[in-house]
Amino acid sequence: MIAPPQTACRYERHRAASLRWGALRLLAHAEFSAVPGSVATARQWARELLTGTASETTVDDLVLLLSEVVTNAVVHSDSGRAPGGSVMVCLGFGGGLVHVEVIDDGSAASVPFVRAADADSDGGRGLLLVDLIATGWGACRDATANVVWCRLPATAPQKPGLSL
């Protein structure tokens, strides 16, 4: 009996199609349940991976932006609406920058964009923060996923073996 072919994880499918990853070195990727409690788990995971590889300010800023983008994926994408939905987070380095991508199941109802937040509104500022803090960022959508990525300068001595 021949085993069915293994389906590549969401990160591997996306990386194969993304020009961004051609110039980046992957540090790690992880999949998190698309539930509110996973936001803190993703923050802790990223902080542990990046501590010592980027400046403390960069780590703090990246963790803040990651928190906003993962929250958006949980709240606004089909990942957070479907039982067992998940969000993939990818971290990498290249050109003196630390790069993070959040991949979710997308949404037929919306795409990620910077919203004009009302001063009295409780939300709507996540991508505005990304836009203000990140060196660069973007969002793209394909048939199966939304991807939101951002980059910050990695201005600290690196761990042995890591190439910024």
Side-chain angles (χ1 to χ4, degrees):
M1 176 182 221
I2 299 175
Q6 296 274 342
T7 301
C9 78
R10 189 181 310 181
Y11 157 75
E12 291 164 341
R13 288 190 310 267
H14 175 69
R15 182 174 183 173
S18 172
L19 297 176
R20 283 182 305 280
W21 285 99
L24 298 169
R25 181 176 183 278
L26 177 69
L27 176 60
H29 68 282
E31 195 156 5
F32 300 93
S33 296
V35 297
S38 292
V39 176
T41 306
R43 278 194 312 255
Q44 181 180 357
W45 173 80
R47 183 172 296 284
E48 288 173 3
L49 283 169
L50 293 171
T51 297
T53 64
S55 72
E56 188 175 326
T57 300
T58 294
V59 173
D60 288 344
D61 286 349
L62 188 122
V63 168
L64 169 66
L65 300 184
L66 177 63
S67 179
E68 296 295 335
V69 176
V70 171
T71 298
N72 285 351
V74 169
V75 172
H76 299 293
S77 82
D78 291 346
S79 292
R81 293 183 192 104
S86 66
V87 175
M88 177 70 67
V89 178
C90 310
L91 293 171
F93 291 100
L97 300 169
V98 60
H99 179 91
V100 64
E101 291 193 3
V102 176
I103 307 168
D104 63 43
D105 288 337
S107 171
S110 67
V111 294
F113 67 96
V114 176
R115 301 177 194 281
D118 184 321
D120 297 330
S121 172
D122 288 339
R125 294 176 185 83
L127 288 179
L128 179 59
L129 282 172
V130 173
D131 190 52
L132 291 172
I133 295 172
T135 301
W137 78 278
C140 55
R141 180 179 181 178
D142 65 23
T144 62
N146 276 341
V147 178
V148 177
W149 60 270
C150 64
R151 294 180 177 155
L152 293 165
T155 54
Q158 56 193 11
K159 287 184 179 179
L162 281 182
S163 174
L164 301 179

